[in-house]
Amino acid sequence: KETDYQTNHLLLAEGNFVLAVNEGESDNKQTSFYDLFRVENGKIAEHWDVMETIAPKADRKNTNGKFNF
């Protein structure tokens, strides 16, 4: 499975947690990536992630977009 991170939309940190919200491609499909890290002693101690395919513009139910913060 090939993954290509292309755009970082949000990087948020609080305490020892960091959230990265990115957009790119996975298996040649436009994809959103949400990565949550827990940092301990300056190193990543835990990592959780969610990937979701982004629907083509023609198939979207509205024009809001995926990354309107």
Side-chain angles (χ1 to χ4, degrees), residues 1-9 21-35 49-56 60 66-67:
K1 192 171 195 176
E2 188 173 323
T3 300
D4 179 21
Y5 286 72
Q6 298 168 346
T7 305
N8 176 262
H9 291 280
V21 179
N22 299 286
E23 181 177 358
E25 289 187 5
S26 180
D27 290 337
N28 296 317
K29 295 179 184 173
Q30 201 64 21
T31 304
S32 60
F33 304 98
Y34 297 83
D35 292 280
D49 63 70
V50 175
M51 297 170 41
E52 182 179 33
T53 301
I54 299 172
R60 296 178 190 171
K66 184 84 173 170
F67 302 103

Side-chain angles (χ1 to χ4, degrees), residues 8-69:
N8 176 262
H9 291 280
L10 179 69
L11 189 60
L12 179 66
E14 184 171 330
N16 60 340
F17 288 95
V18 177
L19 173 66
V21 179
N22 299 286
E23 181 177 358
E25 289 187 5
S26 180
D27 290 337
N28 296 317
K29 295 179 184 173
Q30 201 64 21
T31 304
S32 60
F33 304 98
Y34 297 83
D35 292 280
L36 179 63
F37 303 93
R38 185 178 65 81
V39 179
E40 186 176 288
N41 298 321
K43 296 182 180 181
I44 296 172
E46 294 183 83
H47 170 244
W48 302 269
D49 63 70
V50 175
M51 297 170 41
E52 182 179 33
T53 301
I54 299 172
K57 286 186 179 183
D59 296 341
R60 296 178 190 171
K61 305 296 181 199
N62 59 52
T63 59
N64 295 340
K66 184 84 173 170
F67 302 103
N68 290 329
F69 297 109

